C-alpha cells in the first residue's frame, strides 16, 4: 500500500539558512499534518491542512510557514534556522480526521 | 504537567511475555485513542485506533480504554524481539485535528 512520502530524508543546513521540506500524502487523503520530534521527545504538532486550507495550528514558530497545494502535497518552509530547529520533522496524512499515517520523516541538522 | 502521561521505561521483557503499556490523561475531552509503534529514526506506525471505552483486539495486540479512569492500555501477547521499539499513545478530542502524544515507552524484548 502507498505510504506518505517525505523529501528530503536528510538535510544539513547552517544557522540563518532556509529549508523546505516536502510531503506527499497517501492518495485520496485530504488532510496533512506536520509534527516536530526532538531527540528523545514525543512528536509536537506544528500545523495541519484540510482541503488546502489551514485547519489547525500548534507550536509553530513564526519563522516557519507551510501550505498545501492543489495536488494535496504540502511544503514546510523554515527560515532563519536556529540550532534548536534540529529535529525529525514528520508529515502525516489522513482521510478521516482521526487515523493519521506518518511518513518516514526528514532529519534536519542545523550547524 | 503534560496532558498525557506515559512511563518512558525502558521496559525489558523476555520473548513470549505479555507486555502491558499504559497512559493516563487529564483532558476529559479526549475521545479518540491511538497507539503508535516507532522504531529508531523511523516514522510512527499506527497500531491501534479506538473510540470510547472498551477493548479492541487485532492479532497479538489489544487496546483498552477506560474513560472513567482516564486510562488506556496496550497489551502485546507472545512478544517478539521484533516488537522492540518505542510505543507512543496519542489522543484527539475529535474537534481538533492535532494528536497529543505521550512521551513513549521504550520496549526491549530479549531472546
Amino acid at each position: 500500500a502507498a505510504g506518505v512520502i517525505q523529501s528530503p530524508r536528510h538535510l544539513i543546513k547552517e544557522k540563518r539558512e532556509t529549508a523546505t521540506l516536502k510531503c506527499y500524502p497517501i492518495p485520496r487523503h485530504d488532510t496533512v499534518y506536520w509534527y516536530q520530534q526532538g531527540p528523545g521527545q514525543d512528536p509536537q504538532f506544528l500545523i495541519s491542512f484540510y482541503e488546502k486550507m489551514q485547519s489547525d495550528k500548534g507550536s509553530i514558530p513564526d519563522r516557519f510557514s507551510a501550505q498545501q497545494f492543489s495536488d494535496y502535497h504540502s511544503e514546510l518552509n523554515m527560515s532563519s534556522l536556529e540550532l534548536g530547529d534540529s529535529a525529525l520533522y514528520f508529515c502525516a496524512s489522513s482521510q478521516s480526521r482521526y487515523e493519521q499515517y506518518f511518513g518516514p520523516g526528514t532529519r534536519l541538522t542545523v550547524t | 504537567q503534560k496532558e498525557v502521561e506515559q512511563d518512558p521505561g525502558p521496559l525489558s521483557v523476555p520473548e513470549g511475555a505479555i507486555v502491558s503499556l499504559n497512559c493516563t490523561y487529564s483532558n476529559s475531552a479526549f475521545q479518540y485513542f491511538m497507539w503508535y509503534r516507532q522504531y529508531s529514526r523511523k516514522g510512527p506506525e499506527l497500531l491501534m485506533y479506538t473510540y470510547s471505552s472498551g477493548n479492541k483486539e487485532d492479532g497479538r495486540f489489544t487496546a483498552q480504554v477506560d474513560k472513567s479512569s482516564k486510562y488506556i492500555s496496550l497489551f502485546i501477547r507472545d512478544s517478539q524481539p521484533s516488537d522492540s521499539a518505542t510505543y507512543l499513545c496519542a489522543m484527539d478530542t475529535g474537534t481538533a485535528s492535532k494528536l497529543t502524544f505521550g512521551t513513549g515507552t521504550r520496549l526491549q524484548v530479549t531472546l
Side-chain angles (χ1 to χ4, degrees):
Chain A
V4 176
I5 297 172
Q6 290 187 248
S7 68
R9 294 294 309 279
H10 303 273
L11 191 58
I12 299 175
K13 291 285 185 179
E14 294 187 356
K15 283 195 313 183
R16 293 180 289 278
E17 285 191 319
T18 62
T20 298
L21 279 53
K22 296 185 179 182
C23 169
Y24 298 86
I26 293 170
R28 291 182 296 281
H29 280 196
D30 50 24
T31 309
V32 167
Y33 315 78
W34 287 96
Y35 292 84
Q36 177 192 58
Q37 186 175 32
Q41 298 180 2
D42 55 292
Q44 295 293 313
F45 172 75
L46 293 176
I47 195 167
S48 62
F49 293 87
Y50 169 70
E51 285 290 349
K52 293 153 279 185
M53 298 288 289
Q54 182 181 307
S55 58
D56 200 1
K57 197 171 182 179
S59 50
I60 183 169
D62 292 340
R63 301 177 288 108
F64 294 7
S65 65
Q67 58 182 321
Q68 186 178 31
F69 294 87
S70 58
D71 64 351
Y72 292 96
H73 94 272
S74 178
E75 295 184 3
L76 177 66
N77 298 292
M78 311 160 69
S79 63
S80 302
L81 287 169
E82 302 174 357
L83 295 177
D85 296 329
S86 296
L88 265 171
Y89 289 84
F90 291 109
C91 171
S93 74
S94 72
Q95 188 170 36
S96 66
R97 283 176 55 192
Y98 312 119
E99 294 181 55
Q100 295 185 25
Y101 295 88
F102 282 72
T106 294
R107 180 171 294 280
L108 172 66
T109 302
V110 181
T111 62
Chain B
Q1 188 178 1
K2 287 175 68 72
E3 283 187 291
V4 181
E5 298 283 353
Q6 185 176 7
D7 187 336
L11 177 63
S12 183
V13 301
E15 183 180 9
I18 296 175
V19 177
S20 172
L21 304 165
N22 312 294
C23 287
T24 58
Y25 61 95
S26 57
N27 187 349
S28 58
F30 286 137
Q31 296 184 54
Y32 299 87
F33 306 91
M34 285 134 277
W35 285 95
Y36 286 85
R37 177 175 62 194
Q38 186 174 25
Y39 293 109
S40 181
R41 297 172 177 256
K42 303 290 186 185
E45 174 192 1
L46 181 63
L47 288 176
M48 300 288 284
Y49 162 72
T50 55
Y51 168 72
S52 78
S53 290
N55 292 357
K56 183 176 181 179
E57 189 174 320
D58 185 0
R60 296 186 296 113
F61 299 94
T62 299
Q64 196 172 77
V65 174
D66 182 348
K67 283 189 171 182
S68 62
S69 302
K70 297 189 179 66
Y71 187 89
I72 70 170
S73 299
L74 178 71
F75 298 96
I76 307 174
R77 291 184 298 280
D78 187 25
S79 56
Q80 304 294 311
S82 58
D83 294 328
S84 299
T86 296
Y87 290 80
L88 296 148
C89 62
M91 308 180 187
D92 183 8
T93 61
T95 55
S97 59
K98 67 172 186 176
L99 292 179
T100 301
F101 284 86
T103 52
T105 299
R106 190 155 59 90
L107 171 67
Q108 181 73 38
V109 181
T110 58
L111 292 169

